[in-house]
Amino acid sequence: MGYEQIAVARDGGVTTITLNRPEKLNALTAVMSDELIEAFTEAREDPEVRALVVTGAGRGFCAGQDLTEFEEAYRAGERPDIRDHLIRTYHRLIPLVVETPKPVIAAVNGVAAGAGVSLAAACDVRIASDEARFTQAFVKIGLVPDSGGTWLLPRVVGYAKALELSMTGEVIDAATARRIGLVNQVVPATAFEEVVAAYAARLAAMPTAAIAETQKLLREALGVELEEALRREAEAQARMGQTDDHLEGVMAFAEKREPRFEGR
Ligand code: T3D
């Protein structure tokens, strides 16, 4: 389908979803949330898609909620219930990103703020350009972290850093984000697209079913006892043991060649 505020492109097994309001640093509107939900749903259901990249057009990754969406109502003295907006947008989008059973890379090309940080944190891997910056901006407008920020950020950087960033709204650069574990790697802006494309292609060539099970197991293991985690690992492993990619991996090892995984 044609989109207004995002762009979607396919290259082999990789779908790239680009937030496309560069003049507003790709701030999220209700329309953009709906479009992201549609694009993620399509990519999730397409067996040919084996990895996703989320990035931003222009100099921003995502400046979070578009703060002008409620401006008119506020100026008119109205106070819309933010909860309704959150339920309609981020409560659908963020779980969809987290639960996408394929590797999802946030290619953080520029500044990420508020819900933009949550969107990046919802992805499996974060690759930042050295021009990226991050801010838990919520507190600067008198709000608490939403869009999953209270759940996602402590899981990525730990409780103490998540609380510090959320209380201060401090803007941190890409090197600091790397140091605290908010991003997996930082790449010079000049090499950014190339590095992201190579990384995504590498993940798209992996055994996709095993990656999906791994994502789910690790996510859920944070909330269960060891015995339960072991039981879930064994169940998933039994399923993976029946896949073509497992057979291919073992055969490739035995034959001293690179495996050719098909994602099945
Ligand atoms: O209401 C609810 O639904 C609650 C949900 C909340 C979820 C959230 O995400 S809350 C947090 C919302 N985001 C922010 O508070 C961030 C606001 N933006 C900034 O603090 C700064 O723009 C940045 C630190 C992100 C970047 O600074 P800088 O100096 O690089 O760029 P800039 O000049 O401030 O912004 C460039 C343009 O983007 C500018 O437009 P203009 O003046 O050139 O026409 C600016 O207004 C626009 N822009 C940036 N962020 C937003 C935005 N427009 C709408 N909404 C934004 N969030």
Side-chain angles (χ1 to χ4, degrees):
M1 87 173 247
Y3 294 110
E4 258 180 61
Q5 300 190 1
I6 65 170
V8 179
R10 263 289 285 285
D11 183 7
V14 178
T15 285
T16 298
I17 300 174
T18 304
L19 280 56
N20 197 17
R21 300 181 71 220
E23 69 292 350
K24 296 294 173 196
L25 303 179
N26 305 311
L28 284 150
T29 64
V31 170
M32 189 187 276
S33 285
D34 282 346
E35 293 188 351
L36 286 170
I37 289 163
E38 172 97 27
F40 264 92
T41 304
E42 250 179 51
R44 179 193 175 110
E45 286 167 7
D46 184 343
E48 301 301 316
V49 176
R50 293 173 60 193
L52 286 88
V53 174
V54 185
T55 193
R59 73 175 179 89
F61 172 70
C62 173
Q65 170 62 38
D66 186 317
L67 296 177
T68 64
E69 268 199 327
F70 294 118
E71 193 181 324
E72 208 173 305
Y74 285 1
R75 286 194 193 284
E78 294 163 29
R79 305 302 293 268
D81 188 338
I82 294 178
R83 178 176 32 208
D84 292 342
H85 175 72
L86 297 179
I87 291 169
R88 172 167 150 29
T89 54
Y90 306 120
H91 293 202
R92 295 163 60 222
L93 173 63
I94 296 295
L96 186 63
V97 176
V98 169
E99 288 163 20
T100 296
K102 305 176 182 191
V104 184
I105 300 167
V108 187
N109 54 301
V111 68
V117 177
S118 300
L119 179 61
C123 298
D124 299 307
V125 177
R126 282 154 293 285
I127 303 179
S129 149
D130 59 4
E131 292 177 351
R133 291 171 288 152
F134 298 81
T135 166
Q136 280 294 80
F138 307 93
V139 71
K140 292 188 189 162
I141 52 168
L143 293 180
V144 299
D146 59 25
S147 50
T150 62
W151 192 89
L152 293 161
L153 202 58
R155 281 169 165 74
V156 177
V157 299
Y159 172 85
K161 261 298 164 199
L163 185 57
E164 183 190 345
L165 294 175
S166 303
M167 288 197 305
T168 63
E170 181 191 354
V171 181
I172 59 169
D173 62 16
T176 306
R178 172 74 189 89
R179 189 166 45 74
I180 66 173
L182 179 53
V183 300
N184 301 78
Q185 57 172 305
V186 178
V187 178
T190 45
F192 186 63
E193 281 182 24
E194 199 184 320
V195 170
V196 169
Y199 198 94
R202 184 173 138 211
L203 286 176
M206 304 284 279
T208 313
I211 287 188
E213 295 281 1
T214 303
Q215 292 168 322
K216 189 164 184 289
L217 283 169
L218 276 162
R219 193 169 62 240
E220 293 178 352
L222 289 171
V224 301
E225 298 293 333
L226 175 60
E227 285 69 21
E228 177 60 13
L230 289 167
R231 191 188 65 73
R232 292 181 188 194
E233 285 173 8
E235 273 184 14
Q237 208 66 300
R239 285 193 293 277
M240 292 306 98
Q242 302 302 313
T243 61
D244 293 349
D245 282 346
H246 171 58
L247 188 62
E248 165 64 7
V250 174
M251 289 302 118
F253 176 77
E255 293 161 16
K256 299 192 187 307
R257 60 173 174 80
E258 285 300 309
R260 289 179 297 272
F261 295 121
E262 302 285 346
R264 292 194 292 268

